[in-house]
Amino acid sequence: LGIDPLEIRLRNIVKEGDRGPSGEALKAVSIEECLLKAAAAIGWQDRNPAPGRGKGIACSWWMTTGGSSGVYVKINPDGSATLVSGAVEIGTGAITGAAQILAEELSLDLGDISVAGVDTQTAPFDYGAQGSRTAFSVGNACLAAAADLRRQMFEIAARQLDAPIDTMVLRDKQVVAGAKSISIAEVARISRLSGGGLIAHGTAISPSPAYDPTRLENHPLPAWNTPSYHAHAVDLSVDPDTGVVGINRYVVVQDVGFAINPTYIEGQIEGGVAQGIGQALSEEIVYLDGRVMNANLTDYKMPTALDVPEIETILVECASAAGPYGAKGVGEPPCIEPPAAIGNAIAAATGFWPRSLPMTAEKIARELWAGRT
């Protein structure tokens, strides 16, 4: 159509208050900001800086899966806290994010929070480490538990300080009421002697947004909870003789709602892009007569450190109403866009559109050589 790829996306993106596919009202929508920042970072105004070199862009949205989470939190006699959750830490840092929320709410240091090992026999239920939900849902459960613990501590402190509860706050590991204060450790000690200790159970479940049930039937996810928005942009070169793709720059702009731990979030984004690059350029299970021919990591070509460029990450914080401190899910979105962004950049560099994954050098070279005959 002769329309710039960025322009056609900007014409069609959703805006705040628009309706989603099942009629849900979309809130905290940031896709325009993500697209514009990705385009600016990659230098979109010069889409073809040299022969065989091109830039591509892609955007998407993704859900923060619901499901319930429960936690137990106990304040220990030394003023530290123990967090018990059924959620499994699979390397994302999500449980650390939940512990950070708990520490913030209880005026403790992160080092004061001990996370118990997961044992489904004794831990509260968690819906599972999937769907970009763990820090979001367990974090909300920690907020609920912390609120209950504050109530318990303030009731004890009110008797010890002879001060009204409505004047109390937690600050620097102390219950503070005006000029009076008592340490959390002392409150915990008193509670153990007279009340069985400071223990709270927090639960959270993210309700599904209202939607139009006439638009779909028998769907397990009729409307997306707390969606996030993101855009990827890539600058790459294609060797005209071999079809080998070299990624010069890769930029991710992702709306995380609120960055609980920016370093861990950037790590998640880098890992997701690495997975997406593998899907885009090399990873493929090859069958012959029903047998897998590349059932090892020598022949199944996952990207290595030499194949993955430095990932430039730009975080957008468009707060959600449901997440802890406005957070949205983070882990899965970075995997989505890389094949599309890379395919669009290959098209810009070569003039032909790859139509299957992976977009191997062999496929690209075949198309390039076919175009010369």
Side-chain angles (χ1 to χ4, degrees), residues 150-227:
R150 286 197 300 272
R151 176 191 61 77
Q152 295 178 49
M153 287 189 282
F154 290 172
E155 289 176 354
I156 294 172
R159 296 191 293 270
Q160 299 299 313
L161 301 177
D162 191 23
I165 288 176
D166 60 8
T167 66
M168 293 181 178
V169 295
L170 291 180
R171 184 186 307 134
D172 299 328
K173 307 181 187 182
Q174 307 273 328
V175 179
V176 179
K180 301 177 181 179
S181 66
I182 182 173
S183 71
I184 290 176
E186 179 64 12
V187 172
R189 187 191 68 81
I190 294 169
S191 178
R192 283 168 62 91
L193 295 173
S194 60
L198 296 172
I199 302 172
H201 176 209
T203 61
I205 185 166
S206 182
S208 176
Y211 65 95
D212 181 355
T214 65
R215 294 197 181 194
L216 70 173
E217 293 181 1
N218 301 322
H219 199 293
L221 296 169
W224 280 12
N225 293 356
T226 314

Side-chain angles (χ1 to χ4, degrees), residues 86-104:
V88 177
E89 174 56 69
I90 59 173
T92 65
I95 299 300
T96 299
Q100 284 181 260
I101 292 169
L102 187 61
E104 178 73 17

Side-chain angles (χ1 to χ4, degrees), residues 28-282:
V29 178
S30 56
I31 187 63
E32 182 175 16
E33 180 180 358
C34 292
L35 273 168
L36 291 175
K37 286 186 173 179
I42 206 70
W44 186 258
Q45 68 278 3
D46 185 11
R47 287 185 54 222
N48 297 99
R53 185 170 175 177
K55 298 176 182 179
I57 199 164
C59 60
S60 72
W61 67 326
W62 193 244
M63 76 181 79
T64 305
T65 302
S68 66
S69 288
V71 299
Y72 299 146
V73 180
K74 178 178 71 172
I75 304 296
N76 302 310
D78 62 355
S80 65
T82 299
L83 169 62
V84 181
S85 166
V88 177
E89 174 56 69
I90 59 173
T92 65
I95 299 300
T96 299
Q100 284 181 260
I101 292 169
L102 187 61
E104 178 73 17
E105 292 296 305
L106 297 177
S107 80
L108 301 176
D109 298 329
L110 181 58
D112 295 324
I113 309 296
S114 298
V115 179
V118 177
D119 182 345
T120 54
Q121 183 70 23
T122 55
F125 176 78
D126 186 83
Y127 190 66
Q130 44 82 19
S132 305
R133 63 172 295 280
T134 301
F136 180 99
S137 189
V138 178
N140 275 336
C142 285
L143 289 176
D148 189 16
L149 286 169
R150 286 197 300 272
R151 176 191 61 77
Q152 295 178 49
M153 287 189 282
F154 290 172
E155 289 176 354
I156 294 172
R159 296 191 293 270
Q160 299 299 313
L161 301 177
D162 191 23
I165 288 176
D166 60 8
T167 66
M168 293 181 178
V169 295
L170 291 180
R171 184 186 307 134
D172 299 328
K173 307 181 187 182
Q174 307 273 328
V175 179
V176 179
K180 301 177 181 179
S181 66
I182 182 173
S183 71
I184 290 176
E186 179 64 12
V187 172
R189 187 191 68 81
I190 294 169
S191 178
R192 283 168 62 91
L193 295 173
S194 60
L198 296 172
I199 302 172
H201 176 209
T203 61
I205 185 166
S206 182
S208 176
Y211 65 95
D212 181 355
T214 65
R215 294 197 181 194
L216 70 173
E217 293 181 1
N218 301 322
H219 199 293
L221 296 169
W224 280 12
N225 293 356
T226 314
S228 60
Y229 301 86
H230 2 88
H232 290 210
V234 61
D235 176 341
L236 57 74
S237 299
V238 179
D239 187 293
D241 296 318
T242 65
V244 170
V245 173
I247 298 177
N248 305 312
R249 291 186 62 209
Y250 201 104
V251 174
V252 178
V253 182
Q254 181 164 327
D255 174 16
V256 300
F258 175 79
I260 296 170
N261 190 314
T263 299
Y264 281 2
I265 288 172
E266 289 180 11
Q268 282 289 280
I269 289 173
E270 291 171 4
V273 171
Q275 292 181 44
I277 289 174
Q279 182 187 15
L281 297 178
S282 61

